[in-house]
Amino acid sequence: MVRIMKLLTRDERPPGEEPVSDLVPEPEVSRAKRVRVSLAAACAPLLFSYTAVALVLAVVSFTADRSRFSATGALLAAGPGWLASWQVELELGGHPLGVLPLLPTLVVAWLTARAAARAARRIGGRTPADAVPVVAVIAGAHALFGVLIAMLTAGSPIAVNPLTAFCVPGLLAGLAAVAGVAKVCGLPAAVRDRFDPVAVHGLRAGALGLAALIACGAVVFTVATALSWSTVDSLFESGFGASFGMFVLSVAYLPNAVVAALSFATGPGFSVGSLTVGMFGYREGRLPGVPVLAGIPSQHAVWWPVLLLLPALVGVLVGWKIRTIDEDPMLRMRAVAVAGALVAFGCVVLGTFAGGRLGDGPFDPVSVPVGVASVIAFCWIVLPGGFVAFFAGAHEPPEPPGEPEAEVIAEDVAVDEDAVETEEDEAAEPAEEPEAEFDDEAEAELARELGEDLDETPAETAPEQDGAVDDAVTESTDGSGDESAPGGDR
C-alpha cells in the first residue's frame, strides 16, 4: 500500500523543472488599470507638492509682520513656488532669480520616485520595458503642468519662460521616476549586463566618493556655523514673523550651502557677488543677512589648507574600495579613473544647481566654479585613490588566457605516455599461467556421477598395464630363443 501511494504521489517532472502550479502565469493587468495607475502616480506627487508649497507660503505670510494673509494669494503664488522647487528660473519684476533652494527639489524628487515605484509594483512591472509608460506619464504630466503655470503667470510680476517651465520639470521628474522604478523593474541588473564589470565597480566607488565629499562639505559647514553662532543668533532677533521666515529660507538653502562648503574644502571655493572665498585666496565683499551664510569667514586664515586632508582621505577611501576588485593593477587603475569621472560629473551637476543669478544687486551672482571644481575633484579621487588601489592590491598580473589550458594538455599527454609505457612493459613480461583452481563441490558432484573414487582409479589400472608389458617381453624372448636353438643344433 505504501508503494502504491508513493507511485501515485511521485513527481514525474524532470529535474530542475518548475512545478505546474508555479508555471501558471500571473493574471495580466488590463490596459485601463495601467493608465489609471500611471495617472495617479503622476498627479499624486504633483498635487501634494503644490499643496505643500502653498501651505508654506501661507504660514510665512500669516506670521510675517505688517502683512495681510490671503488664501487666494497663497494659492496663486504657489505656482511659481512649485516651479522654483523644480529649479525653474523666475523673474521677479524683471530681475532674474536663478539661485533656487535645493531642499524642496530633493523633497519633490523623492515624492515622485516613491510614487513611480508604487505604480510599477501595482502594474506588476518586472522588466525595464514595463517602466517606460510610468516614467513617460510622470514626466509628461509635470512638463504640462509647468507650461500651464507659466501661461497663468503671464502678465503678473512673476514671469517664467514657457520652454524652461516645460523642459526642466519634465526632465527632473523623469529622472526621479527612473530612480524610483529602477529596483522594481530590474534596471541595475540590465545595466550590469551591458557594462564592463570594472566600470561597474568604478561607478560604485565613485558614488561612494561623491557621497563622502558631500559629507565633508556638511562637516565643514556645520563647524563654520557653530563657530559663528553669535552671528546666527543676532539674525533671529527681529521678531517672530521675520525670524520664522529666515529659518524657513535657511533650511531651504541648506543643501546649497553644503555644496559651497564642498567646493571650498576641495580648493576652488565659491563666490557671492564680489565676495570670493577660496582655499588660497580671499576677496572681501558684502553678504546678505541670512543665517545660512553666517559661517562665511570675514578674512583668510593660514590654516585653511589643512582642510585639504578631507578630500585626500576621500580619494584614499575610493582606492581602498577598489583595491580588491581584480588582480591586475591596470584594471584597478581604470576603475579609479571611472570613479573620478563620476565624482567630477556629480560636482558639475551640484555646482550648477547650487548657484545662479540673484537679481541685479551686489549679491549677484552666486556661483561655484564648476569647471575648475570638477577637474580638482577628479584629481582628488584619481591621485590618492590610484596610489592606494595600485599598491594595496595584488601586484602580479593574471596569467594570460591559454597558458593554463596548454599546461593541462601537456599533463594529459604525459599521463598518456606513462600509460603507454606501462602497457608495453606489461606486454614484454611473460604471461603467467593461471593456477588451476578446483572447486571441491564440483569434484564431489563429478565423483557421484561416475560412481567411483578419483583417488583409487590410477592404482587399479597400473597393475594391468604392468602385466601387459611383462607378457610382451616374454613373448619376444621366446621367439628369439627358438630362432637361436636350430643354430645351436647345427
Side-chain angles (χ1 to χ4, degrees), residues 1 22 31 62-63 75 94 98 101 131 167 224 253 261 274 286 288 311 367 383 408 412 462 471 483:
M1 185 65 181
D22 296 340
R31 180 175 299 179
F62 179 78
T63 57
L75 290 176
C167 296
Y253 279 95
S274 60
R286 296 177 57 187
S367 64
L383 296 181
V408 172
D412 294 340
D471 293 341
E483 292 176 357

Side-chain angles (χ1 to χ4, degrees), residues 196-208:
D196 184 13
V198 176
V200 172
H201 287 292
L203 292 175
R204 291 177 178 175
L208 176 63

